Every structure is written in structure tokens, then in C-alpha cells.
């Protein structure tokens, strides 16, 4: 097998290397099991060659033909016009077939595999520094919230971007329900763990389950959005059904999918990617075109489905809403923006 290793800046269309390729390559070199490392490397390397969204749209019910989402009647939700974007929306077909969801594979074509995820029954646990720990049934939770549609931009740390009509509710409404104690400073979130359906979780060198974290101030910001739907209907599984986060001013990996647990804590959570490569994927991960990833530039981004390359904006264009959150933090730029 010939492994091409060109510097990322030589390839304008793929200026960024997938996280998976790098990590699998690193495992390849350190892992004693060459078979496993070699196979994973090939898979990730091939996926990067394919074009955006070549498959047909896969609806949520594609593999379980009799599944009807119990919250279907809540869609489409009313659009909140306070959240608009200038660009056109990314085509649904493209968006539904180009996803990062490492539980189902370390490449972008996971949409079919993700249909194996069983999203009912689904329970969301709220624990840690709260008045009373709770286990919430997803349908009861969704029905207790005011759903709305928002148009958001999404910027992946790999230097591609998309725009998407999310449906969901404000993160601060979940915080109000959780009744955190005054000492809580962070919220740690966790994705489901079930290697029998999510075969990516059999790759034991990853620190499953996927974990992310935010400060209480970040989660309370108006922009922090808990997503239940997309494109006017319940979210497709590959988008992170039945509950996923959208933090549009941060790199995409912060927007954790298929959440099962929110833990209120006074300790800064260590995320999945931070555990793997802290120098490259930090806790803050705010979008900034001036702070490069150690292995590629963050100055521009490839717009999914269009072939356009556009300049990246500080805080992904959401600075007016969130820049104040970071004003008094005495942290080096590289820490805040990586
Ligand atoms: N549980 C989980 N959440 C995740 C990921 C993942 O692999 N697992 N990938 C993240 C990354 S890197 C990005 S860019 C977005 C991708 O969301 P999309 O597939 O809806 O575009 O999900 C984020 N949330
Ligand atoms: Mo990402």
C-alpha cells in the first residue's frame, strides 16, 4: 500500500486533513497490531477522496420502515427570525450524506450506518451539581420545550462549513429545568455508548463515549441551541438524533450529537478530542481565522456542496453575541481558538 503524505497546503480543495486520518495514522505507527491500524488508515484515507453527498437523502425512518417519530406533529416549528444567515442553505441531500459521527466510522459517509441507532426509547440524564438528579424521557422533554427553527452556520475544524435550518430549543431552558446549584461552573455532556450498533465504538483507541463541555455562561448564551430537528422535521440520525447541540461560534466538534447525559460540575470537562490531541482540539475551540490549527490554516473554509472557498470570520461571524464571554479571560490566543 502506498501512503501519500503531501503537506496539507498543497491541496487547496482539501486543505484540512480529517481528524480520523491523522489519528489513525498515528495509531498505525504506535499500535502493535498492524492489521487493525492498517485497515483503519485505508478506510479514512479513501473516504477523503469522495465528493460531497453522493448518496440519496436518507430519512430517519429509512432502515426501520415502520418507525414514525413520536414528535412528528411538532414540525415544522415556527422560524425565529432573529437567527438569519446571509448565505444559501446547504442542500439537504449534501448535508445528510457528509457527516462527522465517529461512532459510525472515521469518515464522512456514515449516514447509512447511523440508521442502526435506536432513538426510542431514549432517556436523558441530568446529574451532578443540581437540586435533584433527573432522568427525562426524550418525548416528555421535547414536548415541555418551545421548539423553534433557526438558520445557523456551522464551521468544522477541518476547514469546511455548512448552513442548516435547525429546529430545537434554547440550552438555557434546559438549565432552568435542571436547577443547577450555585457552585456549578461547567456542563459536561455525553453521547450514547453502544458498540453493538455504533461499530466505530469498537475502535478502542478512541476514548468513548464522546464527551464535550461548555461553561455555564456559554450554555446560557442565547445562541446555544439544543437541536431536535433539521430541515423542518425530526433530525435524521446522522445529524445526532434525538438530541444534539449547536454552538455556531465554536468549531463543529463542540456540537455533540445524540446526547444522553448532562452533568453540572465545578471541574472543566475534558472532551473526547482534547483527550486525543489537546494541542489541536482545546476546550474553548472558538472559531478564529487568525489562529491556525497546528497542521493547517483556518483562514478560509470550503462551503459544502458549492465548491466555494470563503474567508472564515472570527467567532464564525457571531462575535456580536459571544465576544464578551471571553473578554476577561486571561488565556493565550491559541488556547481560546483551538
Ligand atoms: N457524538 C459525536 N458528536 C459529534 C461528532 C462525533 O463524531 N460524535 N463529530 C463532531 C464534528 S467534528 C462535527 S463537524 C459535527 C458534524 O455535524 P454534522 O454531521 O451534522 O455536519 O458533529 C460533531 N458532533
Ligand atoms: Mo468537525
Amino acid at each position: 500500500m502506498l501512503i501519500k503524505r503531501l503537506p496539507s497546503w498543497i491541496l487547496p480543495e482539501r486543505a484540512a486533513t480529517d481528524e480520523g486520518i491523522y489519528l489513525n495514522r498515528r495509531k498505525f505507527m504506535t499500535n502493535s497490531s498492524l492489521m487493525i491500524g492498517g485497515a483503519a488508515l485505508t478506510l479514512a484515507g479513501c473516504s477523503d477522496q469522495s465528493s460531497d453527498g453522493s448518496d440519496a437523502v436518507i430519512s430517519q425512518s429509512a432502515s426501520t420502515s415502520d418507525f414514525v417519530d413520536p414528535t412528528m406533529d411538532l414540525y415544522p416549528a415556527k422560524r425565529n427570525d432573529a437567527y438569519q444567515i446571509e448565505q444559501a442553505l446547504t442542500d439537504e441531500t449534501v448535508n445528510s450524506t457528509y457527516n462527522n459521527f465517529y461512532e459510525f466510522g472515521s469518515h464522512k459517509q456514515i449516514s447509512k450506518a447511523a440508521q442502526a441507532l435506536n432513538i426510542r426509547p431514549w432517556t436523558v440524564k441530568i446529574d451532578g451539581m443540581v437540586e435533584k438528579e433527573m432522568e427525562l424521557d426524550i418525548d416528555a422533554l421535547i414536548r415541555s420545550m418551545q421548539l423553534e427553527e433557526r438558520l445557523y452556520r456551522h464551521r468544522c475544524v477541518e476547514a469546511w462549513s455548512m448552513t442548516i435550518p435547525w429546529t430545537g430549543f434554547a440550552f438555557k431552558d434546559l438549565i432552568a429545568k435542571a436547577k443547577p446549584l450555585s457552585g456549578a461552573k461547567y456542563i459536561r455532556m455525553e453521547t450514547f455508548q453502544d458498540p453493538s450498533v455504533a461499530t466505530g465504538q469498537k475502535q478502542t483507541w478512541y476514548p468513548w463515549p464522546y464527551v464535550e463541555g461548555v461553561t455555564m455562561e456559554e450554555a446560557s448564551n442565547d445562541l446555544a441551541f439544543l437541536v431536535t430537528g433539521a430541515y423542518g422535521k425530526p433530525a435524521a440520525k446522522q445529524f445526532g438524533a434525538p438530541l444534539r447541540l449547536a454552538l455556531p461560534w465554536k468549531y463543529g466538534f463542540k456540537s455533540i450529537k445524540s446526547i444522553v447525559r448532562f452533568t453540572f460540575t465545578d471541574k472543566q470537562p475534558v472532551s473526547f478530542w482534547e483527550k486525543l490531541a489537546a494541542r489541536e482540539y482545546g476546550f474553548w475551540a472558538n472559531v478564529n481565522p487568525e489562529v491556525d490549527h497546528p497542521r493547517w490554516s483556518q483562514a478560509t473554509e470550503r462551503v459544502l456542496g458549492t465548491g466555494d472557498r470563503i474567508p472564515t470570520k472570527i467567532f464564525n461571524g457571531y462575535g456580536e453575541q459571544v465576544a464578551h464571554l471571553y473578554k476577561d479571560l486571561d488565556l493565550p490566543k491559541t488556547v481560546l481558538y483551538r
Side-chain angles (χ1 to χ4, degrees):
M1 181 172 56
L2 177 69
I3 300 168
K4 276 197 201 155
R5 191 160 190 193
L6 300 172
S8 57
W9 46 261
I10 273 181
L11 304 162
E13 240 337 85
R14 292 179 278 122
T17 305
D18 284 7
E19 287 111 334
I21 295 172
Y22 170 65
L23 290 161
N24 286 327
R25 182 178 286 142
R26 205 173 54 166
K27 278 295 164 204
F28 179 70
M29 299 194 295
T30 58
N31 201 321
S32 56
S33 168
L34 289 180
M35 281 301 288
I36 292 169
L41 177 73
T42 308
L43 193 63
C46 289
S47 76
D48 199 40
Q49 311 299 318
S50 50
S51 60
D52 302 346
S54 49
D55 297 348
V57 174
I58 293 154
S59 76
Q60 185 165 357
S61 54
S63 72
T64 45
S65 52
D66 51 352
F67 179 77
V68 178
D69 192 289
T71 59
M72 196 63 111
D73 58 297
L74 302 175
Y75 296 85
K78 195 169 182 296
R79 183 173 293 177
N80 183 339
D81 289 322
Y83 303 91
Q84 293 287 357
I85 51 174
E86 281 155 26
Q87 302 108 299
L89 286 172
T90 303
D91 181 80
E92 185 182 357
T93 311
V94 171
N95 224 337
S96 325
T97 50
Y98 187 91
N99 304 95
N100 268 335
F101 203 166
Y102 277 67
E103 283 81 347
F104 296 98
S106 47
H107 55 93
K108 303 291 184 273
Q109 281 69 43
I110 55 78
S111 54
K112 282 200 183 86
Q115 304 315 308
L117 181 61
N118 189 359
I119 57 172
R120 293 296 189 286
W122 191 277
T123 309
V124 176
K125 192 176 198 172
I126 295 181
D127 63 3
M129 300 174 74
V130 290
E131 275 183 23
K132 190 167 166 281
E133 300 194 341
M134 303 180 226
E135 287 211 6
L136 303 170
D137 169 68
I138 190 69
D139 294 310
L141 171 63
I142 292 173
R143 286 189 187 279
S144 72
M145 295 294 175
Q146 184 62 51
L147 296 192
E148 63 182 41
E149 184 179 73
R150 300 180 179 188
L151 308 186
Y152 271 9
R153 287 186 293 275
H154 174 101
R155 169 61 157 81
C156 177
V157 73
E158 298 162 344
W160 55 266
S161 68
M162 62 174 187
T163 52
I164 187 162
W166 292 128
T167 303
F169 56 88
F171 201 153
K172 63 181 175 190
D173 293 347
L174 183 94
I175 297 177
K177 199 187 240 328
K179 300 201 176 75
L181 303 177
S182 61
K185 290 193 171 65
Y186 302 92
I187 305 172
R188 178 188 182 278
M189 291 154 286
E190 207 176 278
T191 296
F192 74 88
Q193 170 126 16
D194 185 357
S196 73
V197 294
T199 50
Q201 291 183 329
K202 289 179 179 158
Q203 299 184 313
T204 51
W205 56 86
Y206 287 111
W208 308 112
Y210 199 96
V211 167
E212 260 306 336
V214 287
T215 66
M216 288 287 286
E217 289 73 25
E218 290 175 324
S220 306
N221 186 274
D222 282 336
L223 277 177
F225 199 50
L226 284 165
V227 168
T228 60
Y231 294 96
K233 50 187 184 266
K237 292 176 183 180
Q238 59 269 35
F239 287 142
L243 189 67
R244 165 276 164 84
L245 181 59
L247 294 172
W249 72 96
K250 290 183 180 281
Y251 288 118
F253 66 87
K254 298 293 294 184
S255 293
I256 181 173
K257 294 178 170 184
S258 305
I259 304 168
V260 294
R261 185 175 175 195
F262 295 85
T263 305
F264 291 76
T265 168
D266 55 2
K267 289 178 193 65
Q268 185 170 304
V270 181
S271 76
F272 179 85
W273 287 110
E274 195 181 356
K275 235 177 237 168
L276 282 163
R279 224 173 58 80
E280 309 198 1
Y281 312 106
F283 171 80
W284 299 98
N286 294 310
V287 175
N288 186 337
E290 287 171 18
V291 179
D292 288 342
H293 184 278
R295 291 179 288 122
W296 60 80
S297 162
Q298 295 291 27
T300 63
E301 63 204 50
R302 178 174 62 90
V303 182
L304 218 58
T306 67
D308 294 345
R309 183 164 284 281
I310 60 171
T312 290
K313 292 182 177 157
I314 181 88
F315 295 115
N316 199 23
Y318 294 99
E320 212 174 294
Q321 292 95 320
V322 298
H324 69 272
L325 294 171
Y326 310 101
K327 277 226 166 67
D328 300 327
L329 290 182
D330 188 21
L331 292 171
K333 259 192 162 189
T334 48
V335 170
L336 263 180
Y337 300 103
R338 179 173 289 166

